[in-house]
Amino acid sequence: MITLDENIPYAEQAFDTLGQTRLLAGRRISNADLQDTDILVVRSVTKVNAQLLAGTPVRFVATATAGFDHIDLDYLHGQGIGFARAPGCNAVSAAEYVLAAISHWSLLRNKPLQECSIGIVGHGNVGSRVRRLCESIGMRCIVNDPPLQEQGGMGLYPLETVLACDIVTLHVPFTRTGRRPTYRLLDARQIARLRPGTLLLNTARGGVVDEGALMSRLQSYFDLDVVLDTWENEPGINGKMLQHTLLGTPHIAGYSLDGKIRGTEMVYQACCQFLHAHPAWGSPLEPVSPKPCSQDQRWDVLNAYDIREDDALLKTLLWSKFLETGTYFDQLRKHYPARREFSGLS
């Protein structure tokens, strides 16, 4: 039996070529559900650990996401359970989300992007793509990545230098331990370094930013623009924090249809390799036509992906007294409309 998160697109069509499949809501997958499961394929909302897997026949776990902080890798290794993930699957989508957000901010604040500097914290799959996009439109990019610098990476800057930019965007993994934990990387001290008028974006993980310290600054000075796609305590996010965002979205930066199907393909291929099976499924996506181009690249970006629509949907929480925050947050993710990457537009 192959148990799949129901929100993985085309998962049933792909994994049906390998055996019997079952779709379940990712946040509600339990140990009891896995008593007849050989292979488990999840997304980021499922905590995969001893509590979930003990006493089950699961021998291979895959997450159709780039991040893996929801997976207890030590437990999997100790039990001899195979593992695969999808690094970079949503990197293009997340980078395009950042470009859409800064395009909206640029138009709203009348700040030509070619005159702005952008500080990129983390130069991995997403951060490097953000850099290429921003440099292609003439922005000055300042990059911080201490682990990459230790490996000999050149042209990198201290965090303090990056935080002095007009725009600061975060693209680091979420870690609590090790030499350089990223938990609350932006704490009260670092948030105080941001200059008035700075645009701060977090599409990494909620815990990378100390929301309490950020709220304190926003409530005291009202001098930052904030774009949050990831939040502390998801899905039960802080409504007051949402109220203080320029743009707030329900952890969907990497949710392009292209990116999600790329994730499906990557974990399907890994599962085929684990089972020594020949792949018999591939992506069904075809290019679609975008809206007509304008004379301003920023409007072209928003025509391709109008991030303001995602913001408006999440901020329904601020005026509707009938919505339960966590349930609504998850529903927005579950029923997220098909969004194509720019390369998927003919």
Side-chain angles (χ1 to χ4, degrees):
M1 174 68 73
I2 304 172
T3 297
L4 308 161
D5 184 314
E6 64 185 7
N7 287 334
I8 300 174
Y10 294 98
E12 195 170 21
Q13 293 90 326
F15 286 90
D16 269 350
T17 65
L18 298 175
Q20 184 180 357
T21 59
R22 172 173 53 207
L23 300 178
L24 294 174
R27 211 178 287 280
R28 294 200 294 270
I29 295 176
S30 68
N31 181 275
D33 295 321
L34 304 181
Q35 293 303 312
D36 58 351
T37 294
D38 304 291
I39 294 171
L40 173 65
V41 186
V42 300
R43 288 189 61 82
S44 60
V45 299
T46 306
K47 302 294 184 185
V48 180
N49 49 29
Q51 182 179 353
L52 182 68
L53 298 182
T56 73
V58 172
R59 54 196 176 100
F60 185 79
V61 171
T63 179
T65 59
F68 54 95
D69 50 280
H70 55 296
I71 309 290
D72 186 339
L73 294 179
D74 290 337
Y75 177 78
L76 296 189
H77 180 73
Q79 297 297 311
I81 298 172
F83 173 69
R85 62 187 182 100
C89 67
N90 63 352
V92 172
S93 175
E96 291 176 354
Y97 172 101
V98 170
L99 188 60
I102 65 176
S103 294
H104 169 68
W105 173 81
S106 170
L107 289 163
L108 186 68
R109 302 300 186 214
N110 193 26
K111 291 179 179 286
L113 289 176
Q114 291 77 10
E115 299 175 9
C116 293
S117 59
I118 180 167
I120 301 169
V121 183
H123 198 246
N125 282 316
V126 181
S128 61
R129 284 171 170 81
V130 170
R131 181 179 186 173
R132 287 199 291 271
L133 283 175
C134 291
E135 287 181 339
S136 74
I137 59 175
M139 296 182 69
R140 184 164 63 95
C141 298
I142 309 296
V143 178
N144 166 260
D145 194 317
L148 185 60
Q149 192 168 20
E150 289 176 356
Q151 296 169 20
M154 305 296 290
L156 302 170
Y157 293 83
L159 183 60
E160 293 75 14
T161 304
V162 169
L163 296 181
C165 291
D166 301 299
I167 302 166
V168 176
T169 181
L170 306 175
H171 303 289
V172 296
F174 180 80
T175 58
R176 289 180 178 268
T177 59
R179 289 186 58 211
R180 300 184 183 276
T182 60
Y183 174 65
R184 296 196 170 170
L185 178 67
L186 261 62
D187 56 13
R189 183 170 63 91
Q190 302 296 4
I191 289 169
R193 295 180 185 273
L194 298 171
R195 298 183 303 174
T198 298
L199 172 64
L200 173 65
L201 305 96
N202 185 17
T203 58
R205 283 291 188 270
V208 172
V209 176
D210 183 341
E211 282 188 13
L214 181 58
M215 275 286 295
S216 179
R217 169 142 184 193
L218 292 172
Q219 290 176 326
S220 298
Y221 300 103
F222 305 97
D223 64 346
L224 300 177
D225 286 320
V226 175
V227 175
L228 294 182
D229 181 58
T230 53
W231 311 74
E232 290 187 335
N233 304 314
E234 292 181 17
I237 66 172
N238 186 329
K240 290 184 179 179
M241 186 73 253
L242 174 62
Q243 188 174 2
H244 282 80
T245 59
L246 176 70
L247 294 168
T249 54
H251 202 153
I252 47 74
Y255 258 39
S256 70
L257 184 59
D258 307 66
K260 289 197 284 187
I261 291 179
R262 191 177 299 120
T264 304
E265 284 188 286
M266 292 172 74
V267 295
Y268 170 71
Q269 293 280 348
C271 190
C272 288
Q273 186 175 3
F274 177 78
L275 296 174
H276 304 289
H278 182 73
W281 177 85
S283 171
L285 285 184
E286 297 288 344
V288 298
S289 297
K291 298 176 182 178
C293 291
S294 70
Q295 298 301 311
D296 189 322
Q297 282 182 316
R298 297 170 297 180
W299 283 114
D300 289 340
V301 169
L302 292 175
N303 281 336
Y305 166 44
D306 195 342
I307 191 173
R308 298 167 298 181
E309 295 178 356
D310 288 333
D311 170 70
L313 284 172
L314 185 59
K315 284 181 177 169
T316 302
L317 284 169
L318 300 179
W319 56 264
S320 175
K321 59 184 179 181
F322 300 106
L323 295 174
E324 194 280 319
T325 298
T327 300
Y328 183 65
F329 188 95
D330 276 347
Q331 287 299 308
L332 287 178
R333 301 186 79 209
K334 180 177 180 179
H335 300 293
Y336 192 66
R339 168 179 135 217
R340 297 302 304 273
E341 292 173 359
F342 300 163
S343 62
L345 306 176
S346 60

